[in-house]
Amino acid sequence: MHGAYAKVRLPPGSDVTYLKGMPVLLLIDGHPDGPPAHETLAGALCDAYHAGAAPHAEVTRLELRHLTFDPILRRGYAAPQPLEPDLEAAAAAITAAHHVAWFFPCWWNAPPALVKGFIDRVFTPGFAFRYTAESALPQKLLAGRSARLVTSMDSPWWWHRLVNRSALHVQFLRSTLGFVGFSPLGSNTVYGARTLTARARDRALAQVRRAGQRDALATARRERRRGALLAS
């Protein structure tokens, strides 16, 4: 176990629901826009996922736009760049979580710059991964946690998959989250967001709500099995 039931300090604008003894799910809303979260599609999807998960888990919600930090890793890994207090709190929330769900739109086949800057600053050596002399591959320091990506894009599904070869999903799920140890990985994608009808939006929200419920229940089962193994 990795200290999942300790409360963590979160920046203003974050929302957290604690239910004693439940698995911990962290929801990260990466939309950079300033309106209330429910006014963006990413925020509405996050709301739906939260509603599905909340009866079965402790749910922590973090909106990156409310964090105060420098999103630029100024010297790469050549010199330390101390984390701002909000990033320290966010790193503690990731450490405390059993499952992390990410919500943001796909822009230019990639996450918004806010999300990329957050990853650059937080997923650093010693926290997210570590190279050793014994292997060319890194130790995955965030192993033991699962994750889900919930995203939207204007492109139709066939363009994203056949032409762009699912670039966002490969880069963010496999090459980022998988690289530091998150597993299993899941995703929900809303295609054609620019012309989304009210009916299609409602259907997408219902699917994501069910995903939240499934993830919470699956995480609870996994943590019970892990606890039983540690106790044996």
Side-chain angles (χ1 to χ4, degrees):
M1 306 294 286
H2 39 74
Y5 301 132
K7 293 187 179 182
V8 295
R9 186 194 68 79
L10 292 173
S14 303
D15 178 55
V16 58
T17 303
Y18 286 104
L19 300 173
K20 184 175 176 59
M22 295 287 191
V24 176
L25 273 62
L26 174 63
L27 281 52
I28 299 179
D29 180 350
H31 200 297
D33 203 1
H38 68 273
E39 294 184 8
T40 67
L41 181 55
L45 292 167
C46 193
D47 287 343
Y49 189 94
H50 191 158
H56 314 286
E58 298 181 4
V59 180
T60 304
R61 183 160 171 171
L62 186 62
E63 295 177 355
L64 298 188
R65 61 186 165 274
H66 294 307
L67 275 59
T68 300
F69 69 100
D70 182 357
I72 301 173
L73 191 62
R74 296 288 171 178
R75 298 192 59 195
Y77 301 142
Q81 185 173 342
L83 295 182
E84 294 85 349
D86 282 355
L87 289 190
E88 290 181 343
I94 291 171
T95 300
H98 295 103
H99 175 87
V100 182
W102 301 76
F103 302 81
F104 55 77
C106 174
W107 293 345
W108 297 107
N109 277 317
L114 177 63
V115 177
K116 180 62 166 60
F118 178 82
I119 293 287
D120 284 351
R121 292 294 316 283
V122 176
F123 282 24
T124 51
F127 173 76
F129 64 94
R130 179 187 296 116
Y131 283 103
T132 66
E134 290 74 29
S135 175
L137 299 177
Q139 294 178 347
K140 301 181 177 186
L141 300 184
L142 295 179
R145 299 163 180 83
S146 53
R148 177 172 297 274
L149 167 63
V150 180
T151 189
S152 61
M153 60 185 68
D154 291 339
S155 301
W157 71 266
W158 55 267
W159 182 269
H160 180 63
R161 295 182 188 175
L162 301 180
V163 178
N164 290 332
R165 304 298 179 94
S166 300
L168 170 69
H169 295 75
V170 171
Q171 182 270 329
F172 192 76
L173 287 174
R174 186 173 71 193
S175 300
T176 301
L177 300 183
F179 182 83
V180 298
F182 285 95
S183 179
L185 300 170
S187 68
N188 291 79
T189 306
V190 180
Y191 297 101
R194 183 173 59 86
T195 56
L196 201 65
T197 65
R199 182 177 180 182
R201 179 187 172 98
D202 289 344
R203 185 166 58 248
L205 294 175
Q207 290 172 346
V208 169
R209 181 182 180 123
R210 289 193 294 271
Q213 181 183 46
R214 288 195 306 269
D215 286 349
L217 293 172
T219 302
R221 289 192 297 269
R222 186 180 72 241
E223 292 307 310
R224 284 196 297 268
R225 290 195 298 267
R226 183 177 298 169
L229 288 174
L230 290 173
S232 63

